């Protein structure tokens, strides 16, 4: 089968790999689309995602959709359109029994955090455990379904915030996750959603999704004490202090964007004086099911995808994804003949 692999820093190529055969409890999928995530960009551009270094050829991709190719149990018919929950959960730990995504020893598609690496879905075929498969509702296109995983990340951030129904929300950073946080907050009934970014392109895309306002960081001021909930999606350490300042008294700030694992200065005085709650969020548990329903009900979310390139142009796709001014979510069409309209 064909696959995209990252061998190390700036070393990406299309290769031939053996086609996998499903074992007990597994399903083989024919892949259709794979979204490029920030972690994929780090693996390609730096050869590592934080402390996780590429030590063997790594097939990236955990934002995927496709169709069932072979289910030995016969429960899922060939051609069934699906997306995938990319996590394999680890060992339950006291105190977090209900938070499987935090259990130690888990794995994630397209990740160098394990050895051997956990191969991802930017390949012609992918083997997954059956419980990772999510069958798509009728009418949900495979291309849009590739947004299920990153939308689930945004929805988990909203869950960590305690919900946004009727709340004023600031989304800090309008990259792909920020845009999906905007879409999720609007769909979940937020009274007002305002988006920020340092670039004009992301702000234009946020406006297209229906935000009530945008703020260009460095040009316009972020109002202080103006928001019930702040979803910090940029992952830029310098954005955390403004996020805390923007929250109202007793407001909530959720750090959705991944930040560097290093000491950086943060002004905590407003957190103390306003009793602001600063909460972390990591991936998601089961919000992918809600994400699939939301994608089916809200076709406009698909406009978060700005580029769709064939697998043969993977290098161009990764370059486009790195250009935050010009691109939102970039997806790769993975050798499956499909117009993206249905399954």
């Amino acid at each position: 089968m064909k696959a995209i692999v990252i061998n190390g820093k700036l070393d990406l190529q299309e290769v031939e790999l053996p086609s996998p055969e499903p074992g007990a409890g597994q399903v083989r999928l024919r892949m259709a689309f794979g979204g490029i995530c920030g972690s994929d960009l780090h693996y390609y551009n730096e050869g590592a995602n934080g402390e996780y270094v590429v030590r063997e050829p790594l097939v990236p991709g955990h934002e995927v959709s496709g169709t069932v190719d072979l289910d030995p149990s016969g429960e899922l018919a060939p051609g069934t359109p699906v997306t995938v929950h990319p996590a394999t959960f680890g060992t339950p730990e006291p105190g977090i029994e209900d938070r499987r995504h935090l259990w130690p020893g888990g794995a994630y598609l397209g990740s160098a955090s394990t050895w051997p690496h956990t191969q991802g879905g930017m390949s012609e075929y992918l083997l997954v455990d059956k419980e990772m498969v999510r069958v798509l509702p009728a009418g949900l296109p495979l291309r849009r379904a590739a947004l299920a995983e990153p939308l689930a990340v945004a929805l988990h951030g909203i869950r960590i915030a305690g919900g946004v129904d009727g709340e004023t929300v600031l989304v800090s950073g309008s990259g792909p996750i920020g845009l999906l946080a905007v879409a999720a907050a609007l769909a979940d009934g937020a009274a007002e959603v305002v988006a920020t970014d340092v670039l004009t392109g992301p702000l234009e895309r946020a406006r297209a999704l229906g935000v009530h306002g945008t703020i260009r960081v460095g040009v316009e001021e972020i109002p202080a004490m103006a928001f019930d909930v702040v979803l910090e999606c940029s992952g830029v350490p310098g954005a955390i202090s403004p996020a805390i300042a923007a929250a109202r008294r007793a407001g909530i700030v959720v750090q959705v964007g991944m930040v560097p694992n290093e000491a950086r200065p943060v002004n905590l005085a407003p957190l103390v004086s306003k009793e602001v709650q600063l909460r972390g969020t990591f991936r998601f548990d089961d919000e992918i099911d809600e994400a699939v329903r939301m994608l089916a009900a809200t076709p406009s979310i698909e406009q978060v995808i700005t580029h769709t390139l064939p697998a043969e142009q993977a290098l161009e796709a990764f370059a486009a994804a790195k250009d935050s001014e010009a691109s939102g979510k970039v997806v790769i069409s993975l050798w499956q003949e499909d117009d993206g309209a249905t399954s």
Side-chain angles (χ1 to χ4, degrees), residues 38 64 86 97 134 146 182-183 202 244 274 276 278 303-304 321:
V64 295
E97 291 87 353
R134 299 295 189 273
V182 162
I244 295 172
K274 296 188 295 183
V276 168
L278 177 60
Q303 66 187 296
V304 171

Side-chain angles (χ1 to χ4, degrees), residues 154-227:
L155 287 168
H156 185 65
I158 289 174
R159 177 183 288 185
I160 291 294
V164 295
D165 186 26
E167 305 280 59
T168 58
V169 178
L170 178 70
V171 176
S172 169
S174 296
I177 291 294
L179 292 174
L180 290 167
V182 162
L186 290 168
D188 275 357
E192 181 183 20
V193 179
V194 175
T196 78
D197 206 276
V198 298
L199 301 173
T200 58
L203 295 179
E204 291 174 3
R205 291 185 279 275
R207 286 192 288 271
L209 288 170
V211 292
H212 299 85
T214 58
I215 299 170
R216 188 174 180 189
V217 176
V219 177
E220 303 167 283
E221 290 293 327
I222 300 174
M225 295 198 295
F227 300 95

Side-chain angles (χ1 to χ4, degrees), residues 1-2 14 36 38 67 73 79 82-83 119 132 135 143 146 184 186 249 257 343:
M1 69 173 183
K2 298 176 182 177
E14 181 182 312
I36 299 176
T67 55
S73 74
V82 300
T83 187
Q119 302 299 326
M132 299 168 71
V135 175
R143 191 178 86 130
L186 290 168
R249 291 182 176 87
S343 63

Side-chain angles (χ1 to χ4, degrees), residues 11-343:
D11 185 353
L12 180 148
Q13 59 184 156
E14 181 182 312
V15 301
E16 286 286 338
L17 297 175
S19 295
E21 293 297 326
Q26 291 185 317
V27 177
R28 186 171 68 199
L29 306 179
R30 178 74 185 269
M31 306 313 296
F33 293 97
I36 299 176
C37 176
S39 61
D40 301 322
L41 288 176
H42 284 299
Y43 284 130
Y44 170 63
N45 288 292
E46 301 157 24
N49 181 32
E51 63 183 301
Y52 305 128
V53 179
V54 176
R55 294 182 286 159
E56 66 175 347
L58 173 68
V59 178
H62 52 261
E63 305 175 359
V64 295
S65 63
T67 55
V68 173
D69 182 67
L70 177 61
D71 176 8
S73 74
E75 295 177 11
L76 296 173
T80 300
V82 300
T83 187
V84 177
H85 191 313
T88 302
F89 298 111
T91 304
E93 193 169 84
I96 54 171
E97 291 87 353
D98 60 341
R99 299 189 182 191
R100 299 177 300 167
H101 58 295
L102 299 181
W103 293 351
Y108 218 70
L109 292 179
S111 174
S113 64
T114 57
W115 182 258
H117 297 339
T118 303
Q119 302 299 326
M122 288 191 185
S123 53
E124 213 168 348
Y125 298 97
L126 175 67
L127 279 189
V128 294
D129 293 338
K130 186 175 293 184
E131 58 265 24
M132 299 168 71
V133 174
R134 299 295 189 273
V135 175
L136 303 182
L140 176 55
L142 286 172
R143 191 178 86 130
R144 194 190 314 156
L147 293 172
E149 192 276 347
L151 180 57
V153 170
L155 287 168
H156 185 65
I158 289 174
R159 177 183 288 185
I160 291 294
V164 295
D165 186 26
E167 305 280 59
T168 58
V169 178
L170 178 70
V171 176
S172 169
S174 296
I177 291 294
L179 292 174
L180 290 167
V182 162
L186 290 168
D188 275 357
E192 181 183 20
V193 179
V194 175
T196 78
D197 206 276
V198 298
L199 301 173
T200 58
L203 295 179
E204 291 174 3
R205 291 185 279 275
R207 286 192 288 271
L209 288 170
V211 292
H212 299 85
T214 58
I215 299 170
R216 188 174 180 189
V217 176
V219 177
E220 303 167 283
E221 290 293 327
I222 300 174
M225 295 198 295
F227 300 95
D228 303 311
V229 175
V230 180
L231 302 172
E232 205 304 292
C233 299
S234 74
V236 177
I240 300 175
S241 293
I244 295 172
R248 64 162 170 82
R249 291 182 176 87
I252 296 170
V253 177
V254 181
Q255 186 59 45
V256 181
M258 294 292 289
V259 294
N261 185 21
E262 58 191 38
R264 292 289 184 94
V266 175
N267 182 11
L268 296 180
L271 181 141
V272 175
S273 63
K274 296 188 295 183
E275 289 193 359
V276 168
Q277 296 183 47
L278 177 60
R279 302 176 180 178
T281 178
F282 181 68
R283 293 177 181 165
F284 58 91
D285 185 353
D286 58 2
E287 287 87 351
I288 196 165
D289 301 308
E290 182 183 354
V292 167
R293 292 190 292 270
M294 186 174 287
L295 288 168
T298 316
S300 61
I301 297 178
E302 191 168 351
Q303 66 187 296
V304 171
I305 300 174
T306 57
H307 296 69
T308 304
L309 286 84
E312 293 77 13
Q313 296 180 31
L315 286 172
E316 291 90 334
F318 271 73
K322 189 179 180 182
D323 185 352
S324 300
E325 174 67 46
S327 71
K329 175 58 66 179
V330 176
V331 300
I332 295 177
S333 179
L334 296 166
W335 300 287
Q336 177 163 300
E337 292 185 4
D338 189 286
D339 61 7
T342 58
S343 63

